[in-house]
Amino acid sequence: MGRRSRDAEGAGRGRVSRRRKPETQLVEAGRRREWTQGIVNPAVWRASTILFDSVADMAAANPPEQGTLHYGRNGTPTIWALCEALTELEPGAAMTRLYPSGSGAVAGALLAVLEAGDELLMVDTVYGPTRALCESVLKRFGVTTRYYDPLVGSGIAELIGDKTRAVFMESPGTHSFEVQDVPAICAAAKARGLVTLLDNTWATPLFFKGAAAGVDLSILACTKYIGGHADLMLGSVTATQAVADRLEKTRRVLGQTAAPDDAWLALRGLRTLDVRLRRHQENGLKVAHWLKGQPRVARLLHPAFPDCPGHEFWQRDFAGATGLFSFVLDGDDAARTRLIDGLELFGIGYSWGGYESLVVPADPVRTATKADHGGPLVRLHVGLEDPDDLIADLEAGLARL
Ligand SMILES: *Cc1c(COP(=O)(O)O)cnc(C)c1O
């Protein structure tokens, strides 16, 4: 691997690269020889300082490009391998950058496209810390946020004003799982010259392709399914050409970078994403269908169920469902606490996307729209355990009520 190497496209083993199926991309992407040195996986390249042969050599490395050793903040082959793999999974995207967490990626993407005086259109079912960013730092820097109904679809056009700069989507919505009509929202936003952002953490690019749907900045909390083993914090933003330069320049001045050890773990996780997600889907659906027949379960909030708001968009646009969904308990908050506290196989904890099952009480916050679910929400992450064991655990829990 030279200090000066070209950017991504088509360098692997001297072949002409062609678009392969996603399952093959998960195995092959980012494994070019100059980064792996012929070993199956790249090493963990840790670096701050990179040494140059001469002043001229140093000058030649500017401005830094991805794929060129320059300084640790600009990445090393471990980072570039993951970036290249994530870009390849998003046809139409130009590049990917990594951040120290999913929340860091959300902040890095928004700060790249917004400026004082702008208005941001934000889905009302957004992840809590993203809402908190809008109401704190963005507000302090003169950006106003207007929240919209997740089911707005092409009606987003009516909300776009002179100051509107960007539309942020998260589909399905945090805790309540409404699926958005992402292509329609992007088309309406594009017609008015807006930038579009999507938090695609639930589906991953394996089950939903953001750039192909018109998204400029596709954000992942790699902490979740990409890592897949509950042992790292990492975020990514995959950008189209139109916004790539702004994303990179903002990342650089904000000093956003990721640890090569975490990128290495995420790269390992990525190789098995397909088999893991398929099992999360299968187990999740089995548990969800069982729950649906239980007298103490009032409703399922799961994109694959026909009564989920936006289910038709999930059917049209997604290649699968993952293991995260909620149900509405027929009971009060105290009953919910008793149910959750008594479960044995579902751990109580933040995050999700690891191999293990988790449960949390979910209390969605909305400010622009109302959703009365008629009871408290329980959010499950269904892991890779035998689903019959998970069902037995839930059955005992519901029986205790
Ligand atoms: C977890 C999560 C994030 C934030 O990721 P972290 O790595 O925990 O900072 C962002 N968006 C969604 C939808 C998430 O579930």
Side-chain angles (χ1 to χ4, degrees):
M1 182 209 45
R3 196 147 50 227
R4 302 288 295 169
S5 59
R6 303 150 322 282
D7 217 317
E9 295 303 321
R13 256 183 279 165
R15 284 177 317 228
V16 178
S17 98
R18 59 184 179 282
R19 187 67 68 190
R20 295 196 172 91
K21 295 216 157 67
E23 293 79 0
T24 309
Q25 291 175 325
L26 287 177
V27 172
E28 286 276 309
R31 286 178 47 207
R32 60 163 95 193
R33 192 179 182 87
E34 59 191 313
W35 295 345
T36 63
Q37 310 282 296
I39 301 169
V40 172
N41 297 303
V44 179
W45 295 77
R46 295 192 188 87
S48 55
T49 298
I50 315 287
L51 298 173
F52 296 92
D53 290 340
S54 64
V55 172
D57 201 19
M58 189 178 225
N62 278 305
E65 291 163 22
Q66 198 161 44
T68 301
L69 283 174
H70 176 269
Y71 178 54
R73 202 191 302 127
N74 193 43
T76 62
T78 321
I79 303 271
W80 301 331
L82 178 59
C83 289
E84 187 174 301
L86 290 173
T87 306
E88 196 173 324
L89 287 166
E90 284 275 6
M95 58 95 132
T96 297
R97 289 295 181 268
L98 300 183
Y99 297 80
S101 68
S103 299
V106 168
L110 283 170
L111 290 170
V113 297
L114 295 169
E115 49 192 78
D118 285 349
E119 181 187 69
L120 168 67
L121 289 176
M122 173 59 72
V123 64
D124 206 20
T125 44
V126 72
Y127 179 66
T130 302
R131 181 185 288 268
L133 171 73
C134 297
E135 297 309 312
S136 59
V137 174
L138 293 187
K139 190 175 262 180
R140 275 200 280 121
F141 284 81
V143 174
T144 56
T145 303
R146 189 167 169 198
Y147 296 89
Y148 67 86
D149 187 333
L151 301 171
V152 71
S154 55
I156 195 86
E158 286 152 41
L159 304 179
I160 298 171
D162 293 343
K163 297 191 162 168
T164 312
R165 171 70 60 120
V167 181
F168 192 105
M169 296 158 276
E170 182 181 322
S171 179
T174 277
H175 294 329
S176 47
F177 298 92
E178 296 83 351
V179 185
Q180 296 193 254
D181 189 348
V182 173
I185 292 172
C186 288
K190 284 285 143 69
R192 299 286 295 273
L194 307 190
V195 177
T196 53
L197 304 94
L198 170 72
D199 186 330
N200 195 30
T201 300
W202 183 85
T204 84
L206 197 62
F207 283 173
F208 184 85
K209 308 254 181 236
V215 175
D216 293 312
L217 294 161
S218 294
I219 301 159
L220 296 177
C222 299
T223 307
K224 311 286 170 55
Y225 280 129
I226 306 298
H229 294 74
D231 53 7
L232 65 92
M233 299 294 299
L234 190 71
S236 68
V237 182
T238 298
T240 56
Q241 196 61 55
V243 286
D245 191 48
R246 255 150 77 201
L247 185 76
E248 165 56 9
K249 284 186 170 144
T250 305
R251 180 201 70 81
R252 208 180 298 154
V253 297
L254 290 175
Q256 300 257 41
T257 185
D261 301 75
D262 287 340
W264 188 91
L265 284 170
L267 206 47
R268 165 178 281 208
L270 193 70
R271 305 304 178 199
T272 57
L273 185 67
D274 177 56
V275 284
R276 286 187 290 107
L277 283 196
R278 283 180 204 288
R279 185 58 72 88
H280 282 295
Q281 165 167 257
E282 194 182 309
N283 288 0
L285 285 171
K286 186 161 186 188
V287 169
H289 280 292
W290 178 83
L291 280 168
K292 193 155 172 77
Q294 300 309 303
R296 297 302 298 262
V297 174
R299 240 189 97 195
L300 261 291
L301 304 174
H302 188 307
F305 281 63
D307 59 349
C308 179
H311 167 72
E312 63 272 30
F313 308 126
W314 174 79
Q315 243 182 346
R316 184 191 66 191
D317 299 337
F318 287 64
T322 55
L324 190 79
F325 62 91
S326 294
F327 67 89
V328 181
L329 189 67
D330 179 8
D332 56 13
D333 285 3
R336 176 173 71 175
T337 302
R338 277 203 310 283
L339 168 68
I340 292 175
D341 279 345
L343 294 174
E344 289 178 2
L345 289 175
F346 289 86
I348 303 169
Y350 293 113
S351 205
W352 47 273
Y355 54 84
E356 83 290 11
S357 288
L358 293 169
V359 61
V360 287
D363 298 303
V365 173
R366 288 187 175 206
T367 52
T369 55
K370 281 207 166 40
D372 182 10
H373 296 289
L377 266 56
V378 178
R379 193 193 72 184
L380 297 181
H381 177 250
V382 174
L384 305 179
E385 302 90 344
D386 188 306
D388 292 336
D389 287 338
L390 298 175
I391 287 169
D393 196 17
L394 290 164
E395 187 167 29
L398 291 168
R400 278 191 298 273
L401 299 181

mmCIF file of all heavy atoms in Angstrom, residues 101-103 127 170 174 199 201 221 223-224 233-234 352, ligand 1:
data_model
loop_
_atom_site.group_PDB
_atom_site.id
_atom_site.type_symbol
_atom_site.label_atom_id
_atom_site.label_comp_id
_atom_site.label_asym_id
_atom_site.label_seq_id
_atom_site.Cartn_x
_atom_site.Cartn_y
_atom_site.Cartn_z
ATOM 1 N N SER A 101 -20.030 7.597 16.921
ATOM 2 C CA SER A 101 -21.271 6.923 17.327
ATOM 3 C C SER A 101 -22.336 7.260 16.285
ATOM 4 O O SER A 101 -22.122 8.126 15.420
ATOM 5 C CB SER A 101 -21.735 7.427 18.707
ATOM 6 O OG SER A 101 -22.147 8.781 18.615
ATOM 7 N N GLY A 102 -23.478 6.602 16.394
ATOM 8 C CA GLY A 102 -24.587 6.933 15.503
ATOM 9 C C GLY A 102 -25.042 8.369 15.706
ATOM 10 O O GLY A 102 -25.337 9.084 14.744
ATOM 11 N N SER A 103 -25.086 8.795 16.962
ATOM 12 C CA SER A 103 -25.487 10.176 17.242
ATOM 13 C C SER A 103 -24.470 11.157 16.673
ATOM 14 O O SER A 103 -24.848 12.236 16.182
ATOM 15 C CB SER A 103 -25.632 10.395 18.747
ATOM 16 O OG SER A 103 -26.636 9.544 19.244
ATOM 17 N N TYR A 127 -35.676 9.525 16.610
ATOM 18 C CA TYR A 127 -34.879 9.076 17.754
ATOM 19 C C TYR A 127 -34.641 10.232 18.731
ATOM 20 O O TYR A 127 -34.240 11.335 18.305
ATOM 21 C CB TYR A 127 -33.550 8.559 17.177
ATOM 22 C CG TYR A 127 -32.526 8.047 18.138
ATOM 23 C CD1 TYR A 127 -32.760 6.896 18.888
ATOM 24 C CD2 TYR A 127 -31.294 8.682 18.258
ATOM 25 C CE1 TYR A 127 -31.786 6.411 19.744
ATOM 26 C CE2 TYR A 127 -30.318 8.190 19.108
ATOM 27 C CZ TYR A 127 -30.572 7.056 19.858
ATOM 28 O OH TYR A 127 -29.608 6.576 20.704
ATOM 29 N N GLU A 170 -36.701 9.273 9.331
ATOM 30 C CA GLU A 170 -36.259 8.059 10.029
ATOM 31 C C GLU A 170 -37.375 7.053 9.820
ATOM 32 O O GLU A 170 -38.511 7.288 10.226
ATOM 33 C CB GLU A 170 -36.031 8.325 11.519
ATOM 34 C CG GLU A 170 -35.536 7.099 12.261
ATOM 35 C CD GLU A 170 -35.331 7.352 13.756
ATOM 36 O OE1 GLU A 170 -34.865 8.456 14.126
ATOM 37 O OE2 GLU A 170 -35.654 6.454 14.545
ATOM 38 N N THR A 174 -38.874 5.701 15.467
ATOM 39 C CA THR A 174 -38.434 5.201 16.774
ATOM 40 C C THR A 174 -39.639 4.832 17.648
ATOM 41 O O THR A 174 -40.607 5.584 17.721
ATOM 42 C CB THR A 174 -37.545 6.264 17.464
ATOM 43 O OG1 THR A 174 -36.213 6.137 16.971
ATOM 44 C CG2 THR A 174 -37.512 6.086 18.975
ATOM 45 N N ASP A 199 -32.194 8.478 8.614
ATOM 46 C CA ASP A 199 -31.613 7.562 9.596
ATOM 47 C C ASP A 199 -32.101 6.165 9.232
ATOM 48 O O ASP A 199 -33.272 5.834 9.414
ATOM 49 C CB ASP A 199 -32.049 7.971 11.008
ATOM 50 C CG ASP A 199 -31.371 7.139 12.098
ATOM 51 O OD1 ASP A 199 -31.046 5.963 11.821
ATOM 52 O OD2 ASP A 199 -31.186 7.659 13.209
ATOM 53 N N THR A 201 -30.945 3.194 10.312
ATOM 54 C CA THR A 201 -30.358 2.226 11.247
ATOM 55 C C THR A 201 -31.172 0.937 11.350
ATOM 56 O O THR A 201 -30.605 -0.156 11.422
ATOM 57 C CB THR A 201 -30.211 2.877 12.638
ATOM 58 O OG1 THR A 201 -29.359 4.022 12.515
ATOM 59 C CG2 THR A 201 -29.611 1.922 13.641
ATOM 60 N N ALA A 221 -26.429 4.034 12.635
ATOM 61 C CA ALA A 221 -25.745 3.748 13.895
ATOM 62 C C ALA A 221 -25.155 2.346 13.707
ATOM 63 O O ALA A 221 -25.854 1.345 13.865
ATOM 64 C CB ALA A 221 -26.719 3.790 15.067
ATOM 65 N N THR A 223 -23.273 0.972 15.525
ATOM 66 C CA THR A 223 -23.379 0.399 16.871
ATOM 67 C C THR A 223 -24.374 -0.766 16.891
ATOM 68 O O THR A 223 -24.197 -1.724 17.656
ATOM 69 C CB THR A 223 -23.889 1.501 17.832
ATOM 70 O OG1 THR A 223 -23.053 2.649 17.711
ATOM 71 C CG2 THR A 223 -23.938 1.033 19.264
ATOM 72 N N LYS A 224 -25.413 -0.681 16.073
ATOM 73 C CA LYS A 224 -26.517 -1.643 16.108
ATOM 74 C C LYS A 224 -26.187 -2.863 15.232
ATOM 75 O O LYS A 224 -25.333 -3.638 15.566
ATOM 76 C CB LYS A 224 -27.811 -0.945 15.681
ATOM 77 C CG LYS A 224 -28.059 0.399 16.406
ATOM 78 C CD LYS A 224 -28.485 0.225 17.837
ATOM 79 C CE LYS A 224 -28.506 1.507 18.671
ATOM 80 N NZ LYS A 224 -29.299 2.600 18.154
ATOM 81 N N MET A 233 -19.126 1.250 19.554
ATOM 82 C CA MET A 233 -19.895 2.463 19.243
ATOM 83 C C MET A 233 -19.340 3.032 17.945
ATOM 84 O O MET A 233 -18.137 3.295 17.836
ATOM 85 C CB MET A 233 -19.728 3.528 20.336
ATOM 86 C CG MET A 233 -20.209 3.135 21.727
ATOM 87 S SD MET A 233 -21.990 2.868 21.890
ATOM 88 C CE MET A 233 -22.665 4.467 21.451
ATOM 89 N N LEU A 234 -20.216 3.221 16.936
ATOM 90 C CA LEU A 234 -19.745 3.707 15.642
ATOM 91 C C LEU A 234 -20.931 4.221 14.823
ATOM 92 O O LEU A 234 -22.019 3.672 14.903
ATOM 93 C CB LEU A 234 -19.065 2.565 14.883
ATOM 94 C CG LEU A 234 -18.295 2.921 13.615
ATOM 95 C CD1 LEU A 234 -17.015 3.680 13.947
ATOM 96 C CD2 LEU A 234 -17.932 1.664 12.822
ATOM 97 N N TRP A 352 -29.592 -1.832 20.706
ATOM 98 C CA TRP A 352 -30.168 -3.054 20.146
ATOM 99 C C TRP A 352 -29.309 -3.412 18.943
ATOM 100 O O TRP A 352 -28.348 -2.716 18.638
ATOM 101 C CB TRP A 352 -31.639 -2.834 19.741
ATOM 102 C CG TRP A 352 -31.909 -1.592 18.949
ATOM 103 C CD1 TRP A 352 -32.171 -0.345 19.456
ATOM 104 C CD2 TRP A 352 -31.911 -1.442 17.521
ATOM 105 N NE1 TRP A 352 -32.342 0.551 18.436
ATOM 106 C CE2 TRP A 352 -32.193 -0.086 17.234
ATOM 107 C CE3 TRP A 352 -31.711 -2.334 16.454
ATOM 108 C CZ2 TRP A 352 -32.275 0.412 15.924
ATOM 109 C CZ3 TRP A 352 -31.791 -1.837 15.156
ATOM 110 C CH2 TRP A 352 -32.076 -0.477 14.906
HETATM 111 C C1 LIG B 1 -29.069 3.999 18.464
HETATM 112 C C2 LIG B 1 -29.570 4.889 17.423
HETATM 113 C C3 LIG B 1 -28.864 6.047 17.074
HETATM 114 C C4 LIG B 1 -27.622 6.494 17.792
HETATM 115 O O1 LIG B 1 -26.581 5.587 17.739
HETATM 116 P P1 LIG B 1 -25.455 5.565 18.877
HETATM 117 O O2 LIG B 1 -24.356 4.798 18.265
HETATM 118 O O3 LIG B 1 -26.084 4.912 20.059
HETATM 119 O O4 LIG B 1 -25.092 6.997 19.169
HETATM 120 C C5 LIG B 1 -29.371 6.835 16.059
HETATM 121 N N1 LIG B 1 -30.508 6.505 15.424
HETATM 122 C C6 LIG B 1 -31.214 5.411 15.742
HETATM 123 C C7 LIG B 1 -32.448 5.107 14.990
HETATM 124 C C8 LIG B 1 -30.775 4.570 16.755
HETATM 125 O O5 LIG B 1 -31.485 3.491 17.077
#
